[in-house]
Amino acid sequence: MVHCVAKGRDIFLRNIEEHKQVLDKTLALADVVAAAAETMSKALAAGGRVFFCGNGGSAADAQHLAAELSGRYLIDRRPLDGVALHCNTSAMTAISNDYSFCDVFARQLEAHGRKGDVLVAISTSGNSANIIKAIEKAQNIGVAVIGMTGADGGEMKDIVNVLINVPSDSTPRIQEMHILVGHTMCEIVERSMLVRGI
């Protein structure tokens, strides 16, 4: 039992050290994170929507960040139009069944997205087929795309408007930075809405 506790402690300390190293490198993304938040702010100020999509842990991040907009993050203000595209299980299962799982986000975006909206596409690899298809659909209908991914950006890097590529190849560390980046964007958006009187 003592050995297991000691080993668990070592794992925790290793993870913290890795987290700190990636965090230090992520500081270089400050300008691009601010640019992404401004893209979101402009869309929301003009009456647009911010859509989020991701798979697995990235779906959880998408839902979390959409809730920070439609609810609140730190400031009591009017609700902002943030939507996670995976939350409608009837749409997800119908589209998967009738078309393909690759279409689950793109088809909903085609139905609900309008020129001037924003899509925040989250994929640690940057290569998820349904995310790539959603990005391509967004670009076709005039929806700006913020890509949140890992080190090399994958396929996503060449087809998004703003790329936030966390400098790591470790999925857990990338996801940890994604939620920090996402929270930061929500805070910037909230403060921007107050400045704009919205």
Side-chain angles (χ1 to χ4, degrees), residues 21-83:
Q21 289 173 11
V22 177
L23 181 62
D24 285 343
K25 294 176 185 174
T26 303
L27 290 169
L29 298 177
D31 289 341
V32 75
V33 169
E38 182 60 15
T39 299
M40 293 165 63
S41 296
K42 284 181 179 176
L44 291 164
R49 309 176 85 179
V50 178
F51 296 96
F52 296 83
C53 64
N55 297 295
S58 295
D61 288 346
Q63 186 169 343
H64 180 156
L65 297 174
E68 301 289 21
L69 294 182
S70 61
R72 71 171 184 182
Y73 179 59
L74 294 174
I75 300 169
D76 194 14
R77 38 78 184 165
R78 77 167 178 82
L80 301 171
D81 201 347
V83 180

Side-chain angles (χ1 to χ4, degrees), residues 6-193:
K7 203 162 186 66
R9 181 179 183 277
D10 291 345
I11 291 169
F12 176 72
L13 292 174
R14 185 199 70 218
N15 285 343
I16 290 292
E17 186 55 37
E18 287 178 6
H19 179 93
K20 285 163 59 179
Q21 289 173 11
V22 177
L23 181 62
D24 285 343
K25 294 176 185 174
T26 303
L27 290 169
L29 298 177
D31 289 341
V32 75
V33 169
E38 182 60 15
T39 299
M40 293 165 63
S41 296
K42 284 181 179 176
L44 291 164
R49 309 176 85 179
V50 178
F51 296 96
F52 296 83
C53 64
N55 297 295
S58 295
D61 288 346
Q63 186 169 343
H64 180 156
L65 297 174
E68 301 289 21
L69 294 182
S70 61
R72 71 171 184 182
Y73 179 59
L74 294 174
I75 300 169
D76 194 14
R77 38 78 184 165
R78 77 167 178 82
L80 301 171
D81 201 347
V83 180
L85 290 171
H86 68 280
C87 288
N88 184 335
T89 54
S90 294
M92 287 280 289
T93 53
I95 293 166
S96 295
N97 186 59
D98 295 344
Y99 297 93
S100 153
F101 190 68
C102 286
D103 295 303
V104 292
F105 301 132
R107 193 159 178 86
Q108 290 184 79
L109 195 61
E110 185 174 9
H112 305 295
R114 300 292 178 265
K115 185 175 182 179
D117 290 343
V118 174
L119 172 68
V120 179
I122 310 173
S123 168
T124 57
S125 69
N127 297 319
S128 302
N130 57 1
I131 303 295
I132 297 300
K133 200 158 186 178
I135 293 169
E136 291 169 345
K137 179 59 66 178
Q139 298 291 16
N140 288 341
I141 61 178
V143 171
V145 183
I146 297 165
M148 294 176 66
T149 185
D152 69 2
E155 293 178 49
M156 183 188 288
K157 71 177 179 293
D158 296 320
I159 57 173
V160 299
N161 300 95
V162 182
L163 180 69
I164 302 172
N165 54 324
V166 171
S168 175
D169 294 314
S170 167
T171 296
R173 302 296 85 84
I174 294 166
Q175 290 176 332
E176 288 158 13
M177 294 306 118
H178 278 176
I179 204 61
L180 172 63
V181 165
H183 274 163
T184 301
M185 292 193 300
C186 289
E187 181 174 356
I188 295 168
V189 167
E190 279 192 336
R191 293 183 184 281
S192 177
M193 293 297 105

